[in-house]
């Protein structure tokens, strides 16, 4: 599983950090997405997919 | 000239908790149809989950420049946008939004705000229990809590609460004229302008000060006017919407004793209950967008400049999104519903609103399990001239 985050597109809604905190965080200054783990273990897939679905700005992707 | 059907609006008197039945037929049929909205704009009406996400999620094809609710709010002229935060697109909008975000959508900041919300809620319950019954829950409890939270966040003292309440009620009143809206906003803008000058000189720990300090280091620091508009938007959007959600949610819970008792037996269900209320009820009447270019929606050709209204309430009940979407389940695991919108303009205050709703439900279920409606459900007085749905007032009792 490969996760990508587009920081230019991110609006800092924080849904990803709340949904999958092992994979996503928000930076202190702008609350913009910080990708903690680009290749999380397979058992994180359900949460990562939920985070992608909940992201309002379409800033994160998984494949 | 052909006359278009009127956009069906929710009617709480007839269907207190459900979207207009016409939406289900529309959703399962053509998915998109041509309607006239209450302010006379002709628009495409979209009510299925997938197409709503497509419209709200694509700020390039569908602009919010005309205003999010100009189809129901007479005070808004979609052809003369006032240039507020909710009417910006693209990088301009992201620049402003990123000054909000650390103050209201950062998980760590929310943890800091939790005790304040709990205190304001407890004080409101104390006041209620010390009052005679029946008690007007919407005005004295729900609105008092949400006003208190947003005002404390921004640093507005109680003697100025009327400024934001007047502005919010006037803004969401569907009969408001542009002149009345301007008259209601002017005192709030004037007050905020004074506060910005004071806080530029001596910053505190409130949102205005934090935004001033935060943007000072950026390439384009926020101007006084931008700060006024952002904070006015937060104040106005932050209280009647959330207050209505609290009151409306309590009608649904108290109207069916088994639901309320389930929550009282296990108040830890307040988080899923709150989220399910937001999905199930959705207090808005629909969001407006305008096509920026000729495009297609579900196979229909949409011309550049056409208006599109998305019926969020109906989208949240779409069975293709959620198999038993018409069932209210207070233990349901939260999914990506549309109750706070979607896309770059998704509600910026949604985490705070969630926290308020969850805190209030948990505190009432723990402290006042005997709470009940003081009038039959059929006699609840619903708002009829507001873009924010819910009861106009809700008499409750507990002894």
């Amino acid at each position: 599983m490969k996760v990508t985050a587009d920081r230019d597109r991110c609006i800092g809604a924080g849904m990803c950090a709340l949904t999958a905190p092992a994979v996503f965080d928000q930076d202190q200054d702008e609350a913009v997405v910080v990708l903690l783990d680009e290749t999380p273990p397979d058992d994180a897939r359900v949460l990562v997919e939920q985070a992608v679905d909940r992201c309002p700005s379409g800033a994160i992707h998984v494949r | 000239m052909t006359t278009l059907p009127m956009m069906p609006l929710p009617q709480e008197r007839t269907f207190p908790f459900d979207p207009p039945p016409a939406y289900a037929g529309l959703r399962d049929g053509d998915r998109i149809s041509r309607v006239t909205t209450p302010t006379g704009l002709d628009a495409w009406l979209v009510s299925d989950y997938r197409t709503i996400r497509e419209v709200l999620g694509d700020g390039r094809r569908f602009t919010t420049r005309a205003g999010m609710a100009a189809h129901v709010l007479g005070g808004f002229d979609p052809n003369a946008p006032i240039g507020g935060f909710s009417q910006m697109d693209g990088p301009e909008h992201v620049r402003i939004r990123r000054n909000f975000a650390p103050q209201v959508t950062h998980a760590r900041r929310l943890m800091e705000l939790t005790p304040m919300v709990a205190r304001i809620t407890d004080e409101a319950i104390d006041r209620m229990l010390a009052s005679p019954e029946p008690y007007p829950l919407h005005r004295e409890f729900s609105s008092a809590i949400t006003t208190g939270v947003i005002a404390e966040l921004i640093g507005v003292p109680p003697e100025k609460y009327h400024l934001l309440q007047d502005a919010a009620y006037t803004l969401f009143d569907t009969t408001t004229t542009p002149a009345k809206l301007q008259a209601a906003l002017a005192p709030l803008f004037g007050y905020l302008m004074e506060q910005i000058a004071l806080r530029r000189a001596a910053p505190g720990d409130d949102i205005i000060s934090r935004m001033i300090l935060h943007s000072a280091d950026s390439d384009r620091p926020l101007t006084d006017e931008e700060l006024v508009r952002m904070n006015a938007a937060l104040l106005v959007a932050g209280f009647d919407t959330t207050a209505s959600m609290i009151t409306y949610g309590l009608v649904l819970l108290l109207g069916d004793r088994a639901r309320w008792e389930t929550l009282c037996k296990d108040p830890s269900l307040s988080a899923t209950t709150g989220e399910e209320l937001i999905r199930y009820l959705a207090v808005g009447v629909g969001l407006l967008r305008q096509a920026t270019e000729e495009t297609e929606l579900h196979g229909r050709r949409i011309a550049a400049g056409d208006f599109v209204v998305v019926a969020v309430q109906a989208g949240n009940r779409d069975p293709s999104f959620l198999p038993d979407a018409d069932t209210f389940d207070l233990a349901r695991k939260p999914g990506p519903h549309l109750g706070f919108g979607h896309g770059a303009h998704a509600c910026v205050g949604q985490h705070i609103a969630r926290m308020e709703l969850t805190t209030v439900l948990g505190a009432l279920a723990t402290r006042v399990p005997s709470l009940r409606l003081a009038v039959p459900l059929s006699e609840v007085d619903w708002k009829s001239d507001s873009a924010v749905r819910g009861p106009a007032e809700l008499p409750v009792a507990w002894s």
Side-chain angles (χ1 to χ4, degrees), chain B residues 50-132:
Chain B
R50 192 167 297 278
T51 317
I52 291 174
R53 291 242 320 190
E54 180 183 345
V55 172
L56 297 181
D58 191 339
R60 194 186 54 78
R61 282 156 70 213
F62 299 99
T63 171
T64 183
R65 191 176 167 275
M68 288 200 175
H71 59 304
V72 283
L73 298 177
F76 269 85
D77 179 354
N79 297 312
I82 55 171
F85 170 62
S86 68
Q87 294 170 287
M88 293 176 172
D89 295 309
E92 260 313 278
H93 168 252
V94 170
R95 167 177 165 258
I96 300 282
R97 177 112 183 182
R98 284 191 180 173
N99 276 286
F100 268 119
Q103 322 308 336
V104 292
T105 67
H106 201 297
R108 280 187 286 272
R109 175 77 177 135
L110 284 166
M111 302 269 282
E112 292 170 15
L113 296 174
T114 308
M116 183 260 283
V117 173
R119 172 177 54 76
I120 289 175
T121 302
D122 269 334
E123 288 167 0
I125 295 179
D126 291 342
R127 278 199 307 275
M128 178 173 88
L129 295 178
S131 302

